Amino acid sequence: RVLSLDLNKDRDVERIHGSGINTLDIEPIEGRYMLSGGSDGVIVLYDLENLSRKSSYTCKALFSVGRSHPDVHKFSVETVQWYPHDTGMFTSSSFDKTLKIWDTNTLQPADVFHFEGTVYSHHMSPIATKHCLIAVGTKSPKVQLCDLKSGSSSHILQGHRQEVLAVSWSPRHEYILATGSADGRVKLWDVRRASGCLSTLDQHNGEKSKASSEAANTAHNGRVNGLCYTNDGLHLLTIGTDDRMRLWNSSTGENTLVNYGKVCNESRKGLKFAVSCGCNPEFAFVPYGSTIAVYTIFTGELITMLRGHYSTVNCCVFQPHFQDLYSGSKDCNILAWIPAPREPLPDDNSEKSLLQQHLNPAYEDAWSSSDDEG
């Protein structure tokens, strides 16, 4: 299905943003509601479900925090994220130096955290049960940890030398955090340890001869502006302004040396890329100019370039239930990429019924398990 991803002519996402779209997030519970954040500070919430049951439909915006909203972000929204455990809450952070915790039902901020510098990125752990920490990357080299329970940003992780452009919690270990900085370094932290980071990833795997002492322990020869764990948490993908993407073994910190070729990346801020979930092999979807490059993660092969945006793509997000992809761009559009239906094999009925379900939305929820039939 992923190999046949194509721009969907029958599915539109309602156009609300009047400026570029920087960030998208789909809630992990039903995979039905999507948030977007724009460079004008606006946040929009969409329903991706096809309620009309027509084959051609538009994903409607349910509501938005628009320019006239009293609590709208003053500047560009760089990251939006759903609270991982229910859709009653979401978070947003912005160049206006704030992180806001929103009540979805009232569209009012339940809490606001203020920082000294621009906020590039924030992330809540998808699996944490023992803590409610939001990691925040800002213009300061210090990584901030904000505690949702106490409402304070007490913890600080020190070690980077320049601004922190990307942060990501491990989907495997709830206290492990990865951070990427303009200093070219990627650090892994156990946030329970006060003494400093667990490790600093080294693109040369410790072979000092290849690296001058200055370049030692850098993950990239440029700013690191994107991080994404594979779904099992065993590997970490990083992307830098040296036009490279690297895959790391997240437990040993080793560079796996997978070669993705040149991955053009001119972003001056964080770049939001995505990985597939439940596919074999797994794929990475990386904004690449006005296109999205699709790579197989473990071989580095460039499978395809998804073309459809008119301007720079800033973010993409994967919907694992249907293997759909959504992307947001400077052109103010959100595009839906869905697997193209395959031609049915004449003698294979199961293939045919799957295809009908795929083509005819009326079949969408008509699943029955064989247990019920018996």
Side-chain angles (χ1 to χ4, degrees):
R1 287 172 64 82
V2 171
L3 293 179
S4 65
L5 276 179
D6 202 3
L7 188 57
N8 187 7
K9 314 282 188 295
D10 297 322
R11 186 184 315 179
D12 275 325
V13 179
E14 192 176 351
R15 185 167 167 167
I16 305 285
H17 287 281
S19 73
I21 293 153
N22 295 327
T23 171
L24 296 169
D25 192 40
I26 296 174
E27 43 85 16
I29 294 153
E30 288 181 83
R32 174 174 172 180
Y33 299 104
M34 182 170 73
L35 290 165
S36 63
S39 44
D40 54 1
V42 171
I43 298 170
V44 184
L45 195 161
Y46 305 88
D47 186 347
L48 301 179
E49 183 104 347
N50 178 10
L51 296 172
S52 72
R53 294 279 181 248
K54 295 195 177 85
S55 58
S56 249
Y57 67 100
T58 299
C59 300
K60 288 287 183 207
L62 295 182
F63 41 72
S64 66
V65 179
R67 292 304 316 154
S68 56
H69 191 288
D71 298 299
V72 68
H73 281 290
K74 291 186 179 58
F75 304 122
S76 175
V77 174
E78 291 299 304
T79 313
V80 289
Q81 190 192 358
W82 287 101
Y83 179 61
H85 307 296
D86 79 64
T87 51
M89 189 161 76
F90 66 89
T91 55
S92 62
S93 60
S94 159
F95 277 178
D96 67 10
K97 306 179 182 177
T98 65
L99 163 70
K100 297 188 178 184
I101 317 298
W102 298 86
D103 179 322
T104 312
N105 301 311
T106 64
L107 274 202
Q108 301 296 318
D111 211 345
V112 182
F113 294 91
H114 296 269
F115 302 93
E116 280 167 23
T118 307
V119 183
Y120 288 105
S121 169
H122 79 269
H123 193 227
M124 272 178 290
S125 166
I127 57 159
T129 53
K130 300 187 184 73
H131 72 76
C132 279
L133 296 172
I134 305 178
V136 186
T138 71
K139 207 156 185 74
S140 151
K142 296 172 182 164
V143 181
Q144 312 269 346
L145 297 179
C146 299
D147 193 334
L148 264 186
K149 284 202 179 97
S150 68
S152 73
S153 49
S154 50
H155 307 350
I156 286 172
L157 306 175
Q158 299 197 50
H160 282 298
R161 297 176 192 176
Q162 291 179 48
E163 53 199 6
V164 178
L165 299 172
V167 295
S168 181
W169 292 95
S170 160
R172 193 176 188 88
H173 304 289
E174 64 175 286
Y175 292 106
I176 301 296
L177 174 72
T179 58
S181 161
D183 62 13
R185 289 176 170 81
V186 172
K187 289 181 178 288
L188 300 180
W189 313 79
D190 180 336
V191 297
R192 295 167 297 186
R193 286 176 38 160
S195 57
C197 73
L198 285 175
S199 64
T200 302
L201 302 183
D202 173 17
Q203 58 184 309
H204 302 290
N205 286 336
E207 290 181 36
K208 289 288 177 268
S209 57
K210 289 187 187 167
S212 69
S213 58
E214 181 52 37
N217 279 26
T218 54
H220 289 269
N221 302 329
R223 301 151 58 86
V224 181
N225 59 354
L227 295 173
C228 194
Y229 275 97
T230 54
N231 287 284
D232 57 14
L234 294 176
H235 291 87
L236 176 69
L237 272 169
T238 63
I239 197 161
T241 54
D242 55 358
D243 291 341
R244 289 281 174 255
M245 183 157 74
R246 296 206 162 94
L247 180 71
W248 310 82
N249 178 319
S250 55
S251 54
T252 64
E254 195 178 352
N255 179 359
T256 61
L257 304 176
V258 173
N259 181 4
Y260 299 95
K262 184 179 179 184
V263 183
C264 273
N265 172 7
E266 290 162 5
S267 173
R268 299 297 305 148
K269 48 189 197 175
L271 191 70
K272 312 282 198 265
F273 66 104
V275 295
S276 63
C277 177
C279 303
N280 185 15
E282 296 288 359
F283 301 93
F285 306 97
V286 184
Y288 194 115
S290 62
T291 66
I292 299 154
V294 183
Y295 297 93
T296 48
I297 290 179
F298 294 104
T299 65
E301 188 185 349
L302 174 60
I303 299 291
T304 184
M305 303 287 265
L306 301 176
R307 301 176 197 280
H309 283 290
Y310 300 112
S311 183
T312 309
V313 179
N314 292 323
C315 55
C316 47
V317 64
F318 188 68
Q319 208 287 23
H321 302 175
F322 297 105
Q323 280 118 24
D324 300 340
L325 185 75
Y326 292 85
S327 58
S329 159
K330 226 182 204 160
D331 64 13
C332 311
N333 289 320
I334 297 173
L335 298 183
W337 309 84
I338 73 157
R342 290 189 309 191
E343 287 302 310
L345 302 172
D347 56 338
D348 190 340
N349 291 333
S350 62
E351 184 95 7
K352 209 173 232 165
S353 65
L354 271 175
L355 187 79
Q356 282 178 324
Q357 279 170 6
H358 193 91
L359 292 180
N360 184 346
Y363 287 92
E364 214 167 277
D365 289 326
W367 292 100
S368 67
S369 71
S370 48
D371 297 349
D372 301 348
E373 292 168 29

